[in-house]
Short mmCIF file of all heavy atoms in Angstrom, two decimals:
data_model
loop_
_atom_site.label_atom_id
_atom_site.label_comp_id
_atom_site.label_asym_id
_atom_site.label_seq_id
_atom_site.Cartn_x
_atom_site.Cartn_y
_atom_site.Cartn_z
N MET A 1 95.73 84.90 91.94
CA MET A 1 96.75 85.95 91.89
C MET A 1 96.26 87.10 91.02
O MET A 1 95.93 86.89 89.86
CB MET A 1 98.04 85.36 91.30
CG MET A 1 99.21 86.28 91.39
SD MET A 1 99.57 86.81 93.08
CE MET A 1 99.94 85.22 93.82
N LYS A 2 96.20 88.28 91.58
CA LYS A 2 95.72 89.43 90.83
C LYS A 2 96.90 90.17 90.22
O LYS A 2 97.44 91.09 90.79
CB LYS A 2 94.94 90.36 91.75
CG LYS A 2 93.61 89.75 92.18
CD LYS A 2 92.89 90.68 93.12
CE LYS A 2 91.57 90.08 93.55
NZ LYS A 2 91.22 90.41 94.90
N CYS A 3 97.30 89.73 89.06
CA CYS A 3 98.49 90.31 88.43
C CYS A 3 98.28 91.76 88.06
O CYS A 3 99.19 92.57 88.16
CB CYS A 3 98.88 89.51 87.20
SG CYS A 3 99.49 87.88 87.65
N SER A 4 97.08 92.11 87.63
CA SER A 4 96.84 93.50 87.25
C SER A 4 97.02 94.41 88.45
O SER A 4 97.55 95.51 88.34
CB SER A 4 95.45 93.65 86.66
OG SER A 4 94.50 93.22 87.60
N LEU A 5 96.58 93.94 89.61
CA LEU A 5 96.74 94.72 90.84
C LEU A 5 98.21 94.89 91.17
O LEU A 5 98.66 95.96 91.57
CB LEU A 5 96.02 94.02 91.99
CG LEU A 5 96.13 94.70 93.36
CD1 LEU A 5 95.52 96.09 93.30
CD2 LEU A 5 95.45 93.88 94.42
N LEU A 6 98.98 93.85 90.97
CA LEU A 6 100.41 93.93 91.25
C LEU A 6 101.07 94.97 90.36
O LEU A 6 101.91 95.74 90.80
CB LEU A 6 101.06 92.56 91.00
CG LEU A 6 100.72 91.48 92.02
CD1 LEU A 6 101.34 90.17 91.60
CD2 LEU A 6 101.21 91.88 93.39
N ILE A 7 100.68 94.99 89.10
CA ILE A 7 101.28 95.94 88.17
C ILE A 7 100.95 97.36 88.61
O ILE A 7 101.81 98.25 88.59
CB ILE A 7 100.77 95.67 86.74
CG1 ILE A 7 101.38 94.34 86.23
CG2 ILE A 7 101.17 96.81 85.80
CD1 ILE A 7 100.71 93.78 85.00
N ILE A 8 99.75 97.58 89.07
CA ILE A 8 99.37 98.90 89.56
C ILE A 8 100.19 99.25 90.79
O ILE A 8 100.70 100.35 90.94
CB ILE A 8 97.86 98.95 89.89
CG1 ILE A 8 97.07 98.85 88.59
CG2 ILE A 8 97.51 100.23 90.64
CD1 ILE A 8 95.60 98.55 88.79
N LEU A 9 100.36 98.30 91.68
CA LEU A 9 101.08 98.55 92.92
C LEU A 9 102.55 98.86 92.66
O LEU A 9 103.12 99.75 93.27
CB LEU A 9 101.00 97.32 93.83
CG LEU A 9 99.72 97.18 94.64
CD1 LEU A 9 99.73 95.87 95.40
CD2 LEU A 9 99.57 98.33 95.62
N PHE A 10 103.15 98.15 91.78
CA PHE A 10 104.60 98.27 91.63
C PHE A 10 105.01 99.09 90.41
O PHE A 10 106.16 99.42 90.23
CB PHE A 10 105.22 96.88 91.57
CG PHE A 10 104.88 96.06 92.78
CD1 PHE A 10 104.14 94.90 92.65
CD2 PHE A 10 105.28 96.46 94.05
CE1 PHE A 10 103.81 94.14 93.76
CE2 PHE A 10 104.95 95.71 95.16
CZ PHE A 10 104.22 94.56 95.02
N LEU A 11 104.02 99.44 89.58
CA LEU A 11 104.29 100.25 88.39
C LEU A 11 105.37 99.64 87.51
O LEU A 11 106.11 100.33 86.85
CB LEU A 11 104.65 101.68 88.78
CG LEU A 11 103.56 102.41 89.56
CD1 LEU A 11 104.05 103.79 89.99
CD2 LEU A 11 102.29 102.56 88.73
N ILE A 12 105.47 98.35 87.57
CA ILE A 12 106.39 97.65 86.68
C ILE A 12 105.71 96.38 86.21
O ILE A 12 104.74 95.94 86.82
CB ILE A 12 107.72 97.26 87.39
CG1 ILE A 12 107.42 96.46 88.66
CG2 ILE A 12 108.58 98.48 87.68
CD1 ILE A 12 108.65 95.84 89.27
N ASN A 13 106.20 95.84 85.15
CA ASN A 13 105.68 94.55 84.73
C ASN A 13 106.24 93.47 85.62
O ASN A 13 107.44 93.37 85.80
CB ASN A 13 106.08 94.27 83.27
CG ASN A 13 105.28 95.11 82.32
OD1 ASN A 13 104.11 95.39 82.56
ND2 ASN A 13 105.90 95.52 81.24
N VAL A 14 105.36 92.71 86.20
CA VAL A 14 105.82 91.63 87.04
C VAL A 14 105.58 90.31 86.33
O VAL A 14 104.68 90.18 85.51
CB VAL A 14 105.10 91.61 88.41
CG1 VAL A 14 105.44 92.86 89.19
CG2 VAL A 14 103.61 91.47 88.23
N ASN A 15 106.41 89.38 86.64
CA ASN A 15 106.23 88.05 86.11
C ASN A 15 105.09 87.39 86.87
O ASN A 15 105.16 87.22 88.07
CB ASN A 15 107.53 87.26 86.30
CG ASN A 15 107.44 85.90 85.65
OD1 ASN A 15 106.36 85.44 85.29
ND2 ASN A 15 108.58 85.26 85.50
N CYS A 16 104.05 87.04 86.15
CA CYS A 16 102.87 86.51 86.83
C CYS A 16 103.07 85.07 87.30
O CYS A 16 102.26 84.56 88.06
CB CYS A 16 101.65 86.60 85.93
SG CYS A 16 101.11 88.31 85.76
N SER A 17 104.11 84.43 86.88
CA SER A 17 104.42 83.15 87.49
C SER A 17 105.22 83.47 88.74
O SER A 17 106.38 83.82 88.68
CB SER A 17 105.20 82.25 86.55
OG SER A 17 106.52 82.66 86.48
N THR A 18 104.56 83.40 89.88
CA THR A 18 105.16 83.88 91.11
C THR A 18 105.85 82.77 91.89
O THR A 18 106.08 82.89 93.07
CB THR A 18 104.09 84.53 91.99
OG1 THR A 18 103.02 83.62 92.14
CG2 THR A 18 103.60 85.82 91.36
N ARG A 19 106.14 81.69 91.22
CA ARG A 19 106.86 80.60 91.87
C ARG A 19 108.19 81.11 92.42
O ARG A 19 108.96 81.74 91.70
CB ARG A 19 107.10 79.50 90.85
CG ARG A 19 107.54 78.20 91.45
CD ARG A 19 107.64 77.15 90.34
NE ARG A 19 107.95 75.84 90.89
CZ ARG A 19 107.03 75.04 91.39
NH1 ARG A 19 105.78 75.38 91.36
NH2 ARG A 19 107.37 73.87 91.88
N GLY A 20 108.43 80.87 93.68
CA GLY A 20 109.69 81.32 94.27
C GLY A 20 109.66 82.77 94.73
O GLY A 20 110.64 83.26 95.22
N MET A 21 108.50 83.43 94.52
CA MET A 21 108.38 84.82 94.95
C MET A 21 107.48 84.91 96.17
O MET A 21 106.52 84.16 96.30
CB MET A 21 107.80 85.67 93.82
CG MET A 21 108.64 85.68 92.56
SD MET A 21 110.30 86.35 92.80
CE MET A 21 109.93 88.10 92.88
N VAL A 22 107.80 85.81 97.05
CA VAL A 22 107.00 85.99 98.25
C VAL A 22 106.77 87.49 98.45
O VAL A 22 107.39 88.31 97.78
CB VAL A 22 107.71 85.40 99.49
CG1 VAL A 22 107.84 83.89 99.37
CG2 VAL A 22 109.06 86.05 99.72
N TYR A 23 105.90 87.81 99.38
CA TYR A 23 105.58 89.21 99.67
C TYR A 23 106.11 89.57 101.05
O TYR A 23 106.01 88.78 101.98
CB TYR A 23 104.07 89.43 99.64
CG TYR A 23 103.48 89.14 98.29
CD1 TYR A 23 103.01 87.88 97.98
CD2 TYR A 23 103.44 90.13 97.32
CE1 TYR A 23 102.50 87.60 96.73
CE2 TYR A 23 102.92 89.87 96.06
CZ TYR A 23 102.46 88.60 95.77
OH TYR A 23 101.96 88.33 94.54
N VAL A 24 106.68 90.75 101.14
CA VAL A 24 107.13 91.25 102.43
C VAL A 24 106.67 92.69 102.59
O VAL A 24 106.48 93.41 101.60
CB VAL A 24 108.67 91.17 102.58
CG1 VAL A 24 109.16 89.73 102.49
CG2 VAL A 24 109.36 92.04 101.54
N CYS A 25 106.52 93.09 103.84
CA CYS A 25 106.26 94.50 104.13
C CYS A 25 107.60 95.22 104.09
O CYS A 25 108.56 94.78 104.73
CB CYS A 25 105.62 94.63 105.51
SG CYS A 25 105.14 96.30 105.92
N ASN A 26 107.68 96.28 103.31
CA ASN A 26 108.95 96.98 103.12
C ASN A 26 109.26 97.85 104.32
O ASN A 26 109.27 99.07 104.25
CB ASN A 26 108.90 97.81 101.83
CG ASN A 26 110.27 98.35 101.47
OD1 ASN A 26 111.28 97.86 101.94
ND2 ASN A 26 110.29 99.36 100.62
N SER A 27 109.50 97.18 105.44
CA SER A 27 109.79 97.87 106.69
C SER A 27 110.95 97.15 107.37
O SER A 27 111.07 95.94 107.29
CB SER A 27 108.56 97.83 107.59
OG SER A 27 108.93 97.95 108.94
N ASP A 28 111.80 97.91 108.07
CA ASP A 28 112.94 97.29 108.74
C ASP A 28 112.50 96.34 109.84
O ASP A 28 113.22 95.43 110.20
CB ASP A 28 113.82 98.38 109.37
CG ASP A 28 114.56 99.17 108.30
OD1 ASP A 28 114.66 98.66 107.17
OD2 ASP A 28 115.02 100.27 108.60
N THR A 29 111.31 96.56 110.37
CA THR A 29 110.86 95.74 111.48
C THR A 29 110.10 94.50 111.03
O THR A 29 109.80 93.64 111.85
CB THR A 29 109.97 96.57 112.42
OG1 THR A 29 108.87 97.08 111.67
CG2 THR A 29 110.75 97.71 113.04
N ALA A 30 109.78 94.40 109.76
CA ALA A 30 109.04 93.24 109.26
C ALA A 30 109.96 92.03 109.23
O ALA A 30 111.03 92.08 108.65
CB ALA A 30 108.49 93.52 107.88
N LYS A 31 109.53 90.97 109.88
CA LYS A 31 110.38 89.79 109.97
C LYS A 31 109.76 88.57 109.28
O LYS A 31 110.26 87.47 109.39
CB LYS A 31 110.62 89.44 111.45
CG LYS A 31 111.39 90.50 112.18
CD LYS A 31 112.88 90.44 111.84
CE LYS A 31 113.68 91.44 112.65
NZ LYS A 31 114.37 92.43 111.83
N LYS A 32 108.66 88.80 108.60
CA LYS A 32 107.95 87.68 108.00
C LYS A 32 107.84 87.85 106.49
O LYS A 32 107.82 88.97 105.99
CB LYS A 32 106.53 87.59 108.58
CG LYS A 32 106.50 87.42 110.09
CD LYS A 32 107.01 86.08 110.51
CE LYS A 32 106.92 85.93 112.03
NZ LYS A 32 107.49 84.66 112.48
N TYR A 33 107.75 86.73 105.82
CA TYR A 33 107.40 86.78 104.40
C TYR A 33 106.10 86.02 104.20
O TYR A 33 105.70 85.21 105.03
CB TYR A 33 108.51 86.25 103.50
CG TYR A 33 108.87 84.79 103.67
CD1 TYR A 33 108.10 83.79 103.09
CD2 TYR A 33 110.01 84.42 104.37
CE1 TYR A 33 108.45 82.45 103.22
CE2 TYR A 33 110.36 83.09 104.51
CZ TYR A 33 109.58 82.11 103.93
OH TYR A 33 109.93 80.80 104.08
N HIS A 34 105.44 86.30 103.11
CA HIS A 34 104.10 85.79 102.87
C HIS A 34 103.97 85.25 101.46
O HIS A 34 104.52 85.83 100.53
CB HIS A 34 103.06 86.89 103.07
CG HIS A 34 103.24 87.64 104.36
ND1 HIS A 34 102.50 87.36 105.48
CD2 HIS A 34 104.10 88.62 104.71
CE1 HIS A 34 102.90 88.17 106.46
NE2 HIS A 34 103.86 88.93 106.02
N TYR A 35 103.22 84.18 101.32
CA TYR A 35 102.96 83.63 99.99
C TYR A 35 101.84 84.38 99.31
O TYR A 35 101.78 84.44 98.09
CB TYR A 35 102.59 82.15 100.09
CG TYR A 35 103.74 81.27 100.50
CD1 TYR A 35 103.61 80.39 101.57
CD2 TYR A 35 104.95 81.32 99.81
CE1 TYR A 35 104.67 79.57 101.94
CE2 TYR A 35 106.01 80.53 100.18
CZ TYR A 35 105.86 79.65 101.25
OH TYR A 35 106.90 78.84 101.63
N LYS A 36 100.94 84.94 100.10
CA LYS A 36 99.77 85.61 99.52
C LYS A 36 99.84 87.10 99.82
O LYS A 36 100.06 87.50 100.95
CB LYS A 36 98.49 85.03 100.13
CG LYS A 36 98.23 83.61 99.69
CD LYS A 36 97.04 83.03 100.42
CE LYS A 36 97.36 82.78 101.89
NZ LYS A 36 96.30 82.10 102.61
N SER A 37 99.60 87.90 98.79
CA SER A 37 99.65 89.35 98.98
C SER A 37 98.47 89.83 99.81
O SER A 37 98.50 90.93 100.37
CB SER A 37 99.66 90.07 97.63
OG SER A 37 98.49 89.78 96.91
N ASN A 38 97.43 89.01 99.90
CA ASN A 38 96.26 89.42 100.69
C ASN A 38 96.24 88.72 102.04
O ASN A 38 95.21 88.66 102.70
CB ASN A 38 94.98 89.13 99.91
CG ASN A 38 94.79 87.66 99.62
OD1 ASN A 38 95.72 86.85 99.79
ND2 ASN A 38 93.61 87.28 99.16
N CYS A 39 97.38 88.19 102.46
CA CYS A 39 97.46 87.53 103.75
C CYS A 39 97.08 88.49 104.88
O CYS A 39 97.43 89.66 104.85
CB CYS A 39 98.88 87.02 103.96
SG CYS A 39 99.14 86.35 105.61
N ARG A 40 96.41 87.96 105.88
CA ARG A 40 96.02 88.84 107.00
C ARG A 40 97.25 89.35 107.76
O ARG A 40 97.19 90.38 108.42
CB ARG A 40 95.05 88.12 107.93
CG ARG A 40 95.61 86.86 108.54
CD ARG A 40 94.53 86.06 109.25
NE ARG A 40 93.95 86.81 110.36
CZ ARG A 40 93.03 86.33 111.18
NH1 ARG A 40 92.59 85.10 111.00
NH2 ARG A 40 92.57 87.04 112.17
N GLY A 41 98.34 88.62 107.67
CA GLY A 41 99.57 89.06 108.30
C GLY A 41 100.13 90.33 107.68
O GLY A 41 100.89 91.05 108.31
N LEU A 42 99.77 90.60 106.44
CA LEU A 42 100.21 91.82 105.77
C LEU A 42 99.23 92.97 106.00
O LEU A 42 99.50 94.10 105.64
CB LEU A 42 100.36 91.58 104.26
CG LEU A 42 101.65 90.90 103.83
CD1 LEU A 42 101.54 90.44 102.39
CD2 LEU A 42 102.84 91.80 104.01
N GLY A 43 98.11 92.65 106.61
CA GLY A 43 97.09 93.67 106.83
C GLY A 43 97.57 94.80 107.73
O GLY A 43 97.08 95.91 107.64
N ASN A 44 98.54 94.49 108.59
CA ASN A 44 99.05 95.50 109.52
C ASN A 44 100.18 96.33 108.93
O ASN A 44 100.69 97.23 109.59
CB ASN A 44 99.56 94.82 110.79
CG ASN A 44 98.45 94.13 111.54
OD1 ASN A 44 97.32 94.59 111.55
ND2 ASN A 44 98.77 93.01 112.17
N CYS A 45 100.57 95.99 107.72
CA CYS A 45 101.73 96.67 107.12
C CYS A 45 101.42 98.15 106.89
O CYS A 45 100.48 98.48 106.18
CB CYS A 45 102.10 95.99 105.81
SG CYS A 45 103.53 96.74 105.02
N GLN A 46 102.24 99.01 107.47
CA GLN A 46 102.04 100.46 107.31
C GLN A 46 102.85 100.98 106.14
O GLN A 46 102.78 102.15 105.79
CB GLN A 46 102.52 101.19 108.58
CG GLN A 46 101.86 100.72 109.84
CD GLN A 46 100.45 101.24 110.01
OE1 GLN A 46 100.19 102.40 109.75
NE2 GLN A 46 99.53 100.38 110.38
N TYR A 47 103.65 100.10 105.55
CA TYR A 47 104.55 100.49 104.48
C TYR A 47 104.10 99.83 103.19
O TYR A 47 103.04 99.23 103.13
CB TYR A 47 105.99 100.10 104.82
CG TYR A 47 106.49 100.76 106.08
CD1 TYR A 47 106.24 100.20 107.32
CD2 TYR A 47 107.20 101.95 106.01
CE1 TYR A 47 106.68 100.82 108.48
CE2 TYR A 47 107.64 102.57 107.16
CZ TYR A 47 107.39 102.01 108.39
OH TYR A 47 107.82 102.62 109.52
N LYS A 48 104.94 99.92 102.22
CA LYS A 48 104.63 99.32 100.93
C LYS A 48 104.85 97.81 101.00
O LYS A 48 105.83 97.36 101.61
CB LYS A 48 105.58 99.93 99.89
CG LYS A 48 105.04 99.95 98.49
CD LYS A 48 106.01 100.76 97.63
CE LYS A 48 105.44 100.98 96.26
NZ LYS A 48 106.35 101.78 95.45
N ILE A 49 103.96 97.06 100.38
CA ILE A 49 104.14 95.62 100.29
C ILE A 49 104.89 95.34 98.99
O ILE A 49 104.47 95.78 97.92
CB ILE A 49 102.79 94.90 100.30
CG1 ILE A 49 102.10 95.11 101.64
CG2 ILE A 49 102.99 93.41 100.02
CD1 ILE A 49 100.65 94.69 101.66
N ILE A 50 106.02 94.68 99.12
CA ILE A 50 106.83 94.41 97.94
C ILE A 50 106.97 92.93 97.71
O ILE A 50 106.82 92.13 98.63
CB ILE A 50 108.24 95.06 98.06
CG1 ILE A 50 108.96 94.54 99.31
CG2 ILE A 50 108.13 96.58 98.09
CD1 ILE A 50 110.42 94.94 99.35
N GLN A 51 107.27 92.58 96.47
CA GLN A 51 107.45 91.18 96.11
C GLN A 51 108.94 90.93 95.93
O GLN A 51 109.62 91.66 95.21
CB GLN A 51 106.70 90.91 94.80
CG GLN A 51 106.62 89.43 94.46
CD GLN A 51 105.93 89.20 93.14
OE1 GLN A 51 106.12 89.94 92.19
NE2 GLN A 51 105.14 88.16 93.07
N VAL A 52 109.44 89.93 96.61
CA VAL A 52 110.86 89.59 96.50
C VAL A 52 110.98 88.09 96.33
O VAL A 52 110.02 87.35 96.56
CB VAL A 52 111.66 90.03 97.75
CG1 VAL A 52 111.59 91.53 97.95
CG2 VAL A 52 111.17 89.30 98.99
N SER A 53 112.14 87.63 95.92
CA SER A 53 112.34 86.19 95.80
C SER A 53 112.43 85.58 97.20
O SER A 53 112.85 86.24 98.16
CB SER A 53 113.62 85.89 95.02
OG SER A 53 114.74 86.28 95.77
N LEU A 54 112.03 84.35 97.28
CA LEU A 54 112.09 83.64 98.56
C LEU A 54 113.53 83.61 99.07
O LEU A 54 113.78 83.77 100.26
CB LEU A 54 111.54 82.22 98.37
CG LEU A 54 111.54 81.31 99.59
CD1 LEU A 54 110.83 81.95 100.76
CD2 LEU A 54 110.89 79.98 99.24
N ASP A 55 114.47 83.46 98.16
CA ASP A 55 115.89 83.45 98.54
C ASP A 55 116.27 84.74 99.26
O ASP A 55 116.93 84.72 100.28
CB ASP A 55 116.76 83.29 97.30
CG ASP A 55 116.75 81.86 96.79
OD1 ASP A 55 116.28 80.98 97.52
OD2 ASP A 55 117.21 81.64 95.65
N LYS A 56 115.85 85.86 98.68
CA LYS A 56 116.20 87.15 99.27
C LYS A 56 115.53 87.33 100.63
O LYS A 56 116.15 87.81 101.56
CB LYS A 56 115.81 88.29 98.34
CG LYS A 56 116.20 89.65 98.92
CD LYS A 56 115.87 90.77 97.99
CE LYS A 56 116.18 92.15 98.58
NZ LYS A 56 116.74 92.20 99.93
N ALA A 57 114.27 86.92 100.72
CA ALA A 57 113.56 87.06 101.98
C ALA A 57 114.27 86.29 103.09
O ALA A 57 114.46 86.79 104.20
CB ALA A 57 112.13 86.57 101.82
N GLU A 58 114.69 85.09 102.76
CA GLU A 58 115.37 84.27 103.78
C GLU A 58 116.75 84.83 104.10
O GLU A 58 117.20 84.78 105.24
CB GLU A 58 115.46 82.82 103.28
CG GLU A 58 114.08 82.16 103.27
CD GLU A 58 114.16 80.67 103.01
OE1 GLU A 58 115.09 80.24 102.30
OE2 GLU A 58 113.28 79.95 103.51
N LYS A 59 117.40 85.38 103.08
CA LYS A 59 118.71 85.99 103.29
C LYS A 59 118.60 87.19 104.22
O LYS A 59 119.50 87.48 105.01
CB LYS A 59 119.27 86.44 101.93
CG LYS A 59 120.78 86.43 101.84
CD LYS A 59 121.17 86.48 100.38
CE LYS A 59 122.31 87.46 100.19
NZ LYS A 59 122.57 87.70 98.77
N ASP A 60 117.48 87.88 104.14
CA ASP A 60 117.23 89.03 105.01
C ASP A 60 116.78 88.60 106.41
O ASP A 60 116.43 89.44 107.24
CB ASP A 60 116.16 89.94 104.40
CG ASP A 60 116.68 90.68 103.18
OD1 ASP A 60 117.90 90.67 102.97
OD2 ASP A 60 115.86 91.25 102.44
N GLY A 61 116.75 87.29 106.65
CA GLY A 61 116.41 86.80 107.97
C GLY A 61 114.92 86.70 108.23
O GLY A 61 114.49 86.57 109.37
N LYS A 62 114.12 86.76 107.18
CA LYS A 62 112.68 86.69 107.37
C LYS A 62 112.23 85.23 107.42
O LYS A 62 112.83 84.35 106.82
CB LYS A 62 111.96 87.43 106.24
CG LYS A 62 112.31 88.91 106.21
CD LYS A 62 111.40 89.66 105.28
CE LYS A 62 111.87 91.07 104.96
NZ LYS A 62 112.31 91.85 106.12
N THR A 63 111.16 85.01 108.15
CA THR A 63 110.61 83.67 108.28
C THR A 63 109.16 83.68 107.83
O THR A 63 108.52 84.74 107.76
CB THR A 63 110.67 83.19 109.74
OG1 THR A 63 110.00 84.14 110.58
CG2 THR A 63 112.12 83.05 110.20
N LEU A 64 108.66 82.48 107.55
CA LEU A 64 107.30 82.38 107.03
C LEU A 64 106.29 82.88 108.05
O LEU A 64 106.35 82.54 109.23
CB LEU A 64 107.00 80.92 106.67
CG LEU A 64 105.58 80.64 106.18
CD1 LEU A 64 105.27 81.43 104.92
CD2 LEU A 64 105.41 79.16 105.92
N CYS A 65 105.35 83.64 107.56
CA CYS A 65 104.26 84.19 108.36
C CYS A 65 103.51 83.09 109.10
O CYS A 65 103.24 82.03 108.54
CB CYS A 65 103.35 84.92 107.39
SG CYS A 65 101.72 85.23 108.00
N GLY A 66 103.18 83.34 110.33
CA GLY A 66 102.50 82.35 111.16
C GLY A 66 101.11 81.98 110.67
O GLY A 66 100.61 80.92 111.01
N TRP A 67 100.49 82.85 109.88
CA TRP A 67 99.14 82.56 109.40
C TRP A 67 99.14 81.54 108.27
O TRP A 67 98.11 81.03 107.90
CB TRP A 67 98.48 83.84 108.88
CG TRP A 67 98.28 84.89 109.93
CD1 TRP A 67 98.96 86.05 110.04
CD2 TRP A 67 97.33 84.87 110.99
NE1 TRP A 67 98.50 86.74 111.14
CE2 TRP A 67 97.50 86.04 111.73
CE3 TRP A 67 96.36 83.93 111.39
CZ2 TRP A 67 96.73 86.34 112.86
CZ3 TRP A 67 95.60 84.24 112.51
CH2 TRP A 67 95.78 85.42 113.22
N GLU A 68 100.29 81.27 107.71
CA GLU A 68 100.34 80.46 106.48
C GLU A 68 100.98 79.10 106.67
O GLU A 68 101.32 78.44 105.73
CB GLU A 68 101.06 81.26 105.38
CG GLU A 68 100.34 82.56 105.13
CD GLU A 68 100.98 83.37 104.02
OE1 GLU A 68 101.28 82.80 102.99
OE2 GLU A 68 101.14 84.58 104.21
N LYS A 69 101.18 78.69 107.91
CA LYS A 69 101.79 77.39 108.15
C LYS A 69 100.77 76.29 108.07
O LYS A 69 99.59 76.54 108.21
CB LYS A 69 102.47 77.38 109.51
CG LYS A 69 103.80 78.10 109.42
CD LYS A 69 104.48 78.20 110.79
CE LYS A 69 105.80 78.93 110.67
NZ LYS A 69 106.34 79.34 111.96
ZN1 LIG B 101 101.26 85.83 105.75
#
């Protein structure tokens, strides 16, 4: 986990214990969440990649990325 990179990306201090946190593409059409910020499934993201709690991702109707099963 590259925490320093995350801090640069989000310009906030992030909790480096990412248990329960997932990554999503901040787009209305994104339907997947990812455990890894460098997942190939996020490679197509044209928007900002954001970190959200797994609870929130599931609440938003997102499902686990097919590359990570
Ligand atoms: Zn993924």
Side-chain angles (χ1 to χ4, degrees):
M1 189 57 62
K2 290 178 180 146
C3 291
S4 58
L5 179 60
L6 289 176
I7 290 165
I8 291 166
L9 279 175
F10 303 117
L11 300 176
I12 54 170
N13 286 325
V14 296
N15 185 346
C16 288
S17 76
T18 53
R19 194 175 185 83
M21 300 299 284
V22 295
Y23 298 92
V24 299
C25 185
N26 190 18
S27 155
D28 289 341
T29 58
K31 295 283 184 241
K32 302 291 182 183
Y33 63 80
H34 311 261
Y35 290 128
K36 291 174 290 186
S37 61
N38 63 347
C39 173
R40 60 190 298 183
L42 279 168
N44 296 326
C45 181
Q46 304 284 317
Y47 299 85
K48 207 172 188 179
I49 295 168
I50 58 170
Q51 190 183 39
V52 299
S53 69
L54 179 55
D55 284 347
K56 181 178 177 359
E58 290 190 329
K59 210 163 136 189
D60 289 347
K62 298 192 193 314
T63 56
L64 177 61
C65 161
W67 297 108
E68 301 182 46
K69 282 176 180 166

